[in-house]
């Protein structure tokens, strides 16, 4: 195992980790052109300025679902022309491309307001457990839809696990193992503590396994970006974890007549609601799990909201706030 | 313009920038599968250990020609399925993927010898001049070969400049502007000075322009990776620039009966040989230009050799050494 450093003391200015969905770069109905992704990044960056202007040190993580999906389609269609690369390498590619788009939008915004702040994107590997049960049960759909016959041919040729995705067709499914460690956390902490805005852990990080001799190798899988953000936030001593999602708040009794938005709750309250099954696995479940993990690991406060509500949430007037240690 | 910091003092332990060709990841006749790229990265990393073991702080830059070529082919073939992204974004992707491959190979090698050394890849933008004459004369071929008719159709549809490439077909050509500044050099310097091995400036960096208001935007072009490495080496106060290429030494009267390998030469000597036309623009010219620029900018020593000769060159027994200030 890679040796674990002791938990660091929080830095003098508050350090926040903000996790953005891959859909933050791509709005409903968009295909993912560069113009669209740039405009969306600029919009999100405007909203993140609420944090920067309060003097928070900032580490930004992001999803990559639609972008890695496009890469998988392209690799698939062109596999006779150029070798298809494994999923871990495609995740690394989206860390480069989305990191660049976000970094450029941040630099252009900061130029007006805080020209002394610098921005860097760090290619991030995340260690997962070889014995994670997710490897026996691949369940995360990735890439294009196929007919049943096409999907079966691919499964035969490439060793894919395939699954029917609702009524839209068949897709490849990959394991989604839990993140154990963010391999670059020390350097992310150093850079953020120095005052740089750091983009890291894109797409949940590039999943890697460690063999008996400590040798690392990539694995075809997808790590939940919110869980990775939570591990990273604890390891760098962040006091605040912000999870940006598609809805302004977390709800109990979601989708029923008794639906009720959560404004502020304690760690203990949200643990109880999670046990009672208020947060379904396919939607709010992993986000709440990431929040609980962060607060149990020593985090002070977590916020779940959508990007548009972030400035109001920073004033305590929107979002779901979960409070841990003081 | 982005404000330029004064040139830093060299750090206490010598800092080296090593520029690797994109072909270091891909040997003659290979197509670029992940297995091939991993094996090649491990081979190069073994050779780089000669530098690490002398206690050099290390910044590694790399080319991306074959890899960005594969991405261009894939984007091209799948353009109806997923939007094609501009070349600057594809360069960013290869920074992610090749950074990851190299970073993993380094971590696996260091684990045995120097487990306390850390490795990070930084997504790197490079500022180029809007008025660079290269924009009026795109000359760097990229991506797949086309028939004349196909190439003309692409040029019509996408605004490409195309050119016949020897007798192998028609290709898109893009500008190759000079690098003015590496936007992340301060953070690269900080990380390298802290003792981390840093991978940066991949593919020559992502080329960006700055408009009248200081706003950055990407540009479709390719920056020479050796020139970018030279700018970066000066900006971070490196004393040594190593350019790894396909041949063990630099030659004068190359390809003639009078061909003579250069062992050690002064800055003044190589400037004179360059003026006399010993280094053709398409091959050794840009590498020698990068060396001259580095030494004029305060660098102490530059080495041009192939990866296999690196350990012997470190002993003064191979390669071409060019000496600047002491």
């Amino acid at each position: 195992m890679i040796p674990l450093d002791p938990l660091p003391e929080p830095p003098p200015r508050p350090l926040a980790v903000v996790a953005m969905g891959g859909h933050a770069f791509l709005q409903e109905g968009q295909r993912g052109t560069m113009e669209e992704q740039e405009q969306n990044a600029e919009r999100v960056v405007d909203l993140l300025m609420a944090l920067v202007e309060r003097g928070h040190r900032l580490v930004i993580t992001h999803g990559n679902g639609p972008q890695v999906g496009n890469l998988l389609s392209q690799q698939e269609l062109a596999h006779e022309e150029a070798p298809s690369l494994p999923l871990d390498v495609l995740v690394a590619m989206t860390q480069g491309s989305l990191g660049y788009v976000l970094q450029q939008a941040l630099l252009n915004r900061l130029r007006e307001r805080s020209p002394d702040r610098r921005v860097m994107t760090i290619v991030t590997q995340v260690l997962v457990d070889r014995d994670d049960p997710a490897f026996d049960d691949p369940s995360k759909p990735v890439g294009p839809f196929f007919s049943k016959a096409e999907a079966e041919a691919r499964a035969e040729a490439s060793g894919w696990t395939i699954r029917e995705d609702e009524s839209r067709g068949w897709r490849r499914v990959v394991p989604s193992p839990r993140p154990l460690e963010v391999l670059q956390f020390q350097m992310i902490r150093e850079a953020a503590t120095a005052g740089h805005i750091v983009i890291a852990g894109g797409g949940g990080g590039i999943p890697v396994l460690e063999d008996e001799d400590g040798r690392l190798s990539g694995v075809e899988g997808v790590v939940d970006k919110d869980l990775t953000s939570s591990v990273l936030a604890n390891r760098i001593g962040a006091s605040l974890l912000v999870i940006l999602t598609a809805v302004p708040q977390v709800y109990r009794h979601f989708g029923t007549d008794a639906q009720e938005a959560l404004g502020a709750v304690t760690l203990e309250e949200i643990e109880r609601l999670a046990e009672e099954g208020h947060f379904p696995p396919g939607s709010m479940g992993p986000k709440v799990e990431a929040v609980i993990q962060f607060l149990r690991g020593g985090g002070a406060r977590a916020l779940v909201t959508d990007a548009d509500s972030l400035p109001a949430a920073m004033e305590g007037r929107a979002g779901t706030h979960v409070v841990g240690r003081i």
Side-chain angles (χ1 to χ4, degrees), chain A residues 25-96:
Chain A
F25 296 98
L26 204 71
Q27 296 186 322
E28 199 59 39
Q30 295 184 333
R31 295 180 70 223
T33 66
M34 182 59 181
E35 292 69 27
E36 289 165 353
Q37 299 199 48
E38 276 180 339
Q39 282 167 13
N40 296 333
E42 285 176 11
R43 190 182 134 267
V44 173
V45 160
D46 271 355
L47 298 165
L48 290 179
M49 286 300 124
L51 280 160
V52 173
E53 285 176 355
R54 304 217 175 174
H56 274 82
R57 295 163 197 266
L58 207 57
V59 174
I60 302 172
T61 65
H62 61 84
N64 68 348
Q67 294 80 13
V68 93
N70 279 351
L71 278 174
L72 282 163
S73 294
Q74 290 164 338
Q75 301 259 325
E76 182 63 31
L77 285 164
H79 71 276
E80 289 180 4
E81 287 287 316
S84 294
L85 297 171
L87 189 52
D88 53 319
V89 181
L90 303 188
V91 172
M93 282 186 182
T94 64
Q95 290 190 353

Side-chain angles (χ1 to χ4, degrees), chain A residues 16-309:
Chain A
V17 172
V18 180
M20 294 168 36
H23 285 277
F25 296 98
L26 204 71
Q27 296 186 322
E28 199 59 39
Q30 295 184 333
R31 295 180 70 223
T33 66
M34 182 59 181
E35 292 69 27
E36 289 165 353
Q37 299 199 48
E38 276 180 339
Q39 282 167 13
N40 296 333
E42 285 176 11
R43 190 182 134 267
V44 173
V45 160
D46 271 355
L47 298 165
L48 290 179
M49 286 300 124
L51 280 160
V52 173
E53 285 176 355
R54 304 217 175 174
H56 274 82
R57 295 163 197 266
L58 207 57
V59 174
I60 302 172
T61 65
H62 61 84
N64 68 348
Q67 294 80 13
V68 93
N70 279 351
L71 278 174
L72 282 163
S73 294
Q74 290 164 338
Q75 301 259 325
E76 182 63 31
L77 285 164
H79 71 276
E80 289 180 4
E81 287 287 316
S84 294
L85 297 171
L87 189 52
D88 53 319
V89 181
L90 303 188
V91 172
M93 282 186 182
T94 64
Q95 290 190 353
S97 55
L98 296 176
Y100 161 54
V101 170
L102 195 52
Q103 167 172 316
Q104 190 132 286
L106 279 161
L107 286 172
N108 284 336
R109 199 75 183 88
L110 290 166
R111 181 181 46 89
E112 299 155 14
R113 304 201 189 186
S114 314
D116 53 323
R117 295 290 289 267
R118 295 188 176 122
V119 185
M120 75 195 299
T121 301
I122 298 178
V123 174
T124 311
Q125 293 152 290
V126 61
L127 185 68
V128 300
D129 188 344
R130 281 177 290 154
D131 299 323
D132 193 301
F135 289 112
D136 299 324
D137 178 29
S139 60
K140 174 88 183 164
V142 293
F145 288 90
F146 297 96
S147 71
K148 188 175 181 189
E150 283 171 332
E152 283 172 349
R154 294 285 166 218
E156 179 80 22
S158 312
W160 290 0
T161 304
I162 54 171
R163 190 167 293 179
E164 191 167 14
D165 191 327
E166 292 161 13
S167 56
R168 293 182 294 168
W170 287 70
R171 285 177 92 181
R172 179 180 178 193
V173 285
V174 297
S176 185
R178 292 186 71 86
L180 296 182
E181 182 58 291
V182 174
L183 294 191
Q184 284 72 32
F185 85 86
Q186 296 99 336
M187 294 168 282
I188 295 167
R189 184 176 68 203
E190 286 168 10
T193 303
H196 309 315
I197 296 178
V198 181
I199 301 164
I206 307 163
V208 299
L209 302 175
E210 200 177 37
D211 70 13
E212 296 81 359
D213 301 324
R215 193 182 159 77
L216 303 172
S217 58
V219 60
E220 295 209 88
V222 169
V223 182
D224 182 88
K225 71 154 200 331
D226 297 312
L227 290 178
T228 295
S229 303
S230 168
V231 171
L232 177 60
N234 282 145
R235 302 298 283 146
I236 66 177
S239 55
L240 175 64
L241 172 65
V242 179
I243 296 183
L244 295 181
T245 181
V247 291
Q249 291 186 290
V250 180
Y251 302 87
R252 56 176 172 184
H253 303 295
F254 184 71
T256 71
D257 287 349
Q259 175 175 317
E260 188 191 345
L262 302 175
V265 288
T266 63
L267 170 57
E268 192 185 14
E269 284 169 334
I270 205 153
E271 284 176 332
R272 184 171 45 73
L273 290 168
E275 266 175 38
E276 291 171 7
H278 285 270
F279 313 120
S283 62
M284 202 51 84
K287 294 178 201 304
V288 168
E289 191 183 342
V291 163
I292 290 172
Q293 178 180 284
F294 170 64
L295 297 179
R296 282 182 183 165
R301 191 160 160 181
L303 166 64
V304 182
T305 191
D306 60 356
D308 289 326
S309 304

